[in-house]
Amino acid sequence: MSLQNVPRWIETWNRKFHIYIGLYLLLFVWLFSISGLLLNHPKWRFAQFWPQRKQSSLERPIQPPTEMGDLARARNLMKQLDISGEIEGITTSPEKEHFDFKVVKPGKIIDIKTDLKARRATVEQIQTNGWGVFYMLHSFTGVRLNDPKQKRDWFMTRIWSLSMDAVALGMLVMVFSGLYMWYCLKPKRRLGLIILGLGVLCCGFFVFGLGWIH
């Protein structure tokens, strides 16, 4: 069956998917566009959020956690300190007297250093402005390729990662529905094919070509 003989209802639903998925993705695309500019142009004035960060430090009394496992102990301490976020970089001293870790969320980095023997915790917090939130959201996944043991342990990180999966799938639907609509416009096929070819060549250069340049 050629595309010219495709039932009308398929064309109708294809347009609806293209429009409504595009509306859902609109703010996500803007978010990643703005954060991409922040990553790519750190010298722009609005991108220099790090010098404007707010730092604070305080000490709090704690009860040494009795749970087994570093993640469970970190969660215990976070509950005592009324802190939420994604846990990273857990370190324990050989004498088991110090237990340190970081808690990260978009726009906020909290460094927690505990002295279990003295039952004290030092909490150092870095707070960025809204541009810093955009910057961190671009790469906020809760997992790292160089640390296979690190897993998502904050429910908001899981929700964000699921949203990013939805964005990725939605973009695929947008691309294929756009290709279908372009192909159905017979007078526009030649120009569209040229533009598509240029896009393929440019993307292919960065994906494969850069590896061939010595």
Side-chain angles (χ1 to χ4, degrees), residues 8-209:
R8 184 69 178 176
W9 67 268
I10 293 181
E11 184 176 344
T12 301
W13 278 102
N14 182 73
R15 289 181 178 273
K16 287 183 178 181
F17 277 126
H18 193 86
I19 292 170
Y20 294 119
I21 292 177
L23 290 173
Y24 170 79
L25 295 175
L26 179 63
L27 291 180
F28 284 105
V29 172
W30 283 1
L31 185 152
F32 279 98
S33 298
I34 293 171
S35 58
L37 288 172
L38 288 169
L39 289 166
N40 206 33
H41 300 281
K43 292 185 179 180
W44 285 2
R45 185 174 180 180
F46 77 92
Q48 296 180 7
F49 61 87
W50 191 248
Q52 302 176 30
R53 67 190 183 279
K54 296 180 180 179
Q55 295 180 265
S56 62
S57 180
L58 57 87
E59 286 194 359
R60 295 274 302 276
I62 58 167
Q63 293 296 323
T66 57
E67 288 85 353
M68 299 295 292
D70 289 344
L71 187 58
R73 299 172 74 194
R75 285 174 174 165
N76 180 300
L77 291 166
M78 288 170 63
K79 187 175 181 180
Q80 293 186 49
L81 299 169
D82 194 23
I83 293 172
S84 63
E86 188 72 24
I87 301 169
E88 292 185 1
I90 298 176
T91 58
T92 306
S93 65
E95 299 82 11
K96 305 294 183 180
E97 294 182 358
H98 296 276
F99 183 78
D100 306 332
F101 61 99
K102 289 184 179 181
V103 177
V104 180
K105 60 174 69 175
K108 187 176 291 186
I109 302 172
I110 305 171
D111 198 2
I112 301 170
K113 301 181 185 298
T114 64
D115 186 332
L116 301 179
K117 187 175 182 180
R119 300 193 175 196
R120 303 288 297 178
T122 301
V123 181
E124 299 177 352
Q125 179 173 292
I126 297 174
Q127 178 79 51
T128 67
N129 58 22
W131 296 118
V133 174
F134 275 98
Y135 183 95
M136 294 180 69
L137 277 173
H138 195 99
S139 56
F140 184 65
T141 61
V143 293
R144 295 181 186 275
L145 289 174
N146 59 356
D147 187 4
K149 294 182 180 180
Q150 186 170 326
K151 298 180 180 180
R152 300 181 181 99
D153 49 69
W154 187 33
F155 75 98
M156 288 302 297
T157 313
R158 297 192 184 97
I159 294 174
W160 176 249
S161 66
L162 288 173
S163 298
M164 293 307 95
D165 288 341
V167 170
L169 292 173
M171 291 299 293
L172 289 174
V173 172
M174 289 283 290
V175 168
F176 286 112
S177 63
L179 283 170
Y180 171 79
M181 287 189 289
W182 156 68
Y183 194 80
C184 287
L185 298 173
K186 193 172 182 179
K188 305 292 184 181
R189 286 183 189 174
R190 181 174 296 178
L191 177 60
L193 193 61
I194 293 171
I195 295 172
L196 177 62
L198 288 173
V200 171
L201 288 173
C202 290
C203 185
F205 171 75
F206 289 109
V207 174
F208 304 105

